[in-house]
Amino acid sequence: MIQTIKKAWAIPELRKKIVFTALILLIFRIGNAIPVPYVDTKLLGDYLSQMSTTVLGLYDVMSGGAFASATVFALGVQPYINSSIIIQLLTIAIPPLERLAREGGEEGKKKIQSITRYATVAIAILQGWGYYALMKNASILTNTGVWAALVIIISFIAGSSFVMWMGEQVTEFGIGNGISIILFAGILSRVPSMVSGMSISLKSGAMQWWHALLVVIGILALIVLITWVNGAERRIPVQYAKRQVGRKMYGGQASYIPIKVNMTGVMPIIFASTLCGLPNMIGSFLNLDATKHPYWTAFFRVFNYNSVLYLVVYVLLIVAFNYFYVAIQYNPVDISNQLRKNNGTIPGIRPGKPTSDFITKTLSKITLIGAVFLAIVAAVPMIIGDLTGVSIQLGGTTLLIVVGVALETGRSLEGYMTARYHKGFLE
């Protein structure tokens, strides 16, 4: 990766793209340090530290700590990510959107992107209002008037919209996917605080040296596993029959259908962590008295982040969401029909239904492997945290994002350099 960046820096066009991306990230980090008015950031940080195991803790990590400080970019890229997921699901459920995505071409993609932008603003309005209501109920605001509410909510909405715009600018004029790059920068900004927290705990004796060693080894092992699995795929061989068009012969070549082991990325973990964290977050909001409400208190305690039941439900939900997400992304019947239209066959498998059944069976096996991989990545940091008592800010979700974005950016740089310095056939 470092060698790739050095080679890319020597190319003037790529150097401009790298500098532009760095400037956008600098603006993003500056915005993460500017708090909105009328908020007591110290009280907010103390309040959210008690809810670090809920969905709010995940938001704080993915925003680079801006959520716990109520900065202008506190919502970060979360509204855009949520709107992208919702539009993607609606594209499958609503036939007009499905036709627009499949048959609209470049114009259809632009319309889908425009719909996603409007949905991002709508979600930012809801999340901004919810964040304001959370701070108001927790008595964190220094002013609860109408003007203060408008200033806070509009600041959150404007900040989220500006982050979305910066991500699109990086995608067009910078390197890689802009939203992913911004998310990557926000997560990595938490690493220094994690390292300093571990060093302070070691010096004070609150954490043993082998605890820190176990955390480091676990994180490195997960990074190696994620890097290896992200590039793993099952290739189904395909043979295309020869056909004559006029005086020319077409086809006859061999190809394959690639099926990645981890097709869903980090989405199943995000969905599962959101659902599992909701009961704990609701219990924190209600703040029930254990003597007056013993049953409800016991119910919310069952979904505590450190409980065994939470871990079991979390893993099962990851597996279920992985199968669900693969099912809406991958249609074996469509693949079988496309192969038949192009005179392609899988060796040893008859065209039509036998082909779709074979692809479905293969896909089911690969999906199971991918689900087990995601469960391991999500559960290992939780288990290490329970054993050592250390709050690991680089959990399974964040590690998947960081490693995935790093690999994607490296491939993007290599693609730019290959397009510029490709070798001729006679060299």
Side-chain angles (χ1 to χ4, degrees), residues 384-399:
I384 293 177
D386 289 340
L387 291 176
T388 60
V390 179
S391 178
I392 302 177
Q393 297 179 8
L394 285 179
T397 307
T398 53
L399 279 177

Side-chain angles (χ1 to χ4, degrees), residues 6-65:
K6 286 182 178 179
K7 293 178 182 178
W9 187 259
I11 303 173
E13 292 86 350
L14 283 182
R15 186 163 59 244
K16 291 179 181 179
K17 289 179 177 291
I18 293 173
V19 171
F20 180 81
T21 304
L23 288 176
I24 291 293
L25 293 180
L26 177 61
I27 296 172
F28 172 70
R29 292 305 303 160
I30 292 174
N32 273 359
I34 302 175
V36 300
Y38 310 117
V39 177
D40 191 332
T41 55
K42 186 178 184 305
L43 289 177
L44 178 62
D46 295 339
Y47 177 75
L48 289 180
S49 65
Q50 302 172 3
M51 306 179 69
S52 60
T53 58
T54 65
V55 181
L56 301 180
L58 178 62
Y59 280 1
D60 185 43
V61 172
M62 297 181 73
S63 66

Side-chain angles (χ1 to χ4, degrees), residues 124-391:
I125 293 172
L126 292 175
Q127 290 188 348
W129 176 82
Y131 195 18
Y132 167 79
L134 169 68
M135 293 186 292
K136 183 179 179 181
N137 294 334
S139 300
I140 292 170
L141 301 177
T142 58
N143 188 339
T144 57
V146 177
W147 173 252
L150 286 175
V151 169
I152 293 172
I153 295 174
I154 291 175
S155 298
F156 287 149
I157 297 170
S160 177
S161 302
F162 188 63
V163 169
M164 176 183 65
W165 178 82
M166 288 194 299
E168 291 179 348
Q169 296 306 302
V170 171
T171 302
E172 186 173 357
F173 302 108
I175 297 172
N177 185 289
I179 299 296
S180 300
I181 294 291
I182 290 176
L183 189 60
F184 174 84
I187 292 172
L188 279 189
S189 66
R190 300 297 301 270
V191 174
S193 63
M194 176 184 171
V195 174
S196 62
M198 288 180 60
S199 62
I200 292 173
S201 299
L202 283 172
K203 291 178 181 178
S204 63
M207 182 174 63
Q208 302 296 325
W209 65 269
W210 65 271
H211 288 169
L213 183 62
L214 182 61
V215 171
V216 173
I217 292 175
I219 291 176
L220 292 177
L222 283 178
I223 291 174
V224 172
L225 177 64
I226 293 170
T227 305
W228 178 64
V229 174
N230 272 352
E233 62 183 15
R234 167 74 160 88
R235 297 181 177 181
I236 300 177
V238 176
Q239 182 68 41
Y240 290 94
K242 293 183 179 180
R243 55 192 177 93
Q244 185 172 359
V245 180
R247 295 183 177 182
K248 294 183 178 180
M249 294 292 294
Y250 293 93
Q253 75 272 19
S255 183
Y256 61 86
I257 301 173
I259 301 178
K260 293 183 68 66
V261 174
N262 183 25
M263 287 182 289
T264 58
V266 75
M267 291 305 171
I269 298 181
I270 293 177
F271 289 161
S273 61
T274 302
L275 284 183
C276 289
L278 280 177
N280 198 0
M281 184 172 64
I282 293 172
S284 301
F285 287 160
L286 295 177
N287 196 16
L288 297 174
D289 189 356
T291 57
K292 295 181 179 179
H293 305 280
Y295 296 107
W296 281 111
T297 304
F299 171 77
F300 289 123
R301 191 180 296 118
V302 164
F303 287 94
N304 187 22
Y305 182 80
N306 297 322
S307 67
V308 177
L309 181 61
Y310 179 95
L311 180 62
V312 173
V313 174
Y314 187 41
V315 169
L316 292 178
L317 283 177
I318 290 173
V319 175
F321 278 126
N322 191 65
Y323 271 95
F324 169 75
Y325 213 76
V326 169
I328 65 176
Q329 281 187 318
Y330 224 96
N331 192 338
V333 177
D334 286 348
I335 297 173
S336 176
N337 293 335
Q338 289 295 327
L339 287 177
R340 175 181 284 183
K341 289 180 182 179
N342 295 296
N343 294 324
T345 58
I346 299 174
I349 306 296
R350 294 176 57 190
K353 191 175 184 302
T355 299
S356 64
D357 291 341
F358 175 78
I359 295 175
T360 301
K361 184 178 179 181
T362 305
L363 188 63
S364 178
K365 295 178 181 178
I366 300 300
T367 304
L368 178 60
I369 297 173
V372 172
F373 158 72
L374 291 177
I376 292 173
V377 170
V380 166
M382 296 172 59
I383 296 173
I384 293 177
D386 289 340
L387 291 176
T388 60
V390 179
S391 178

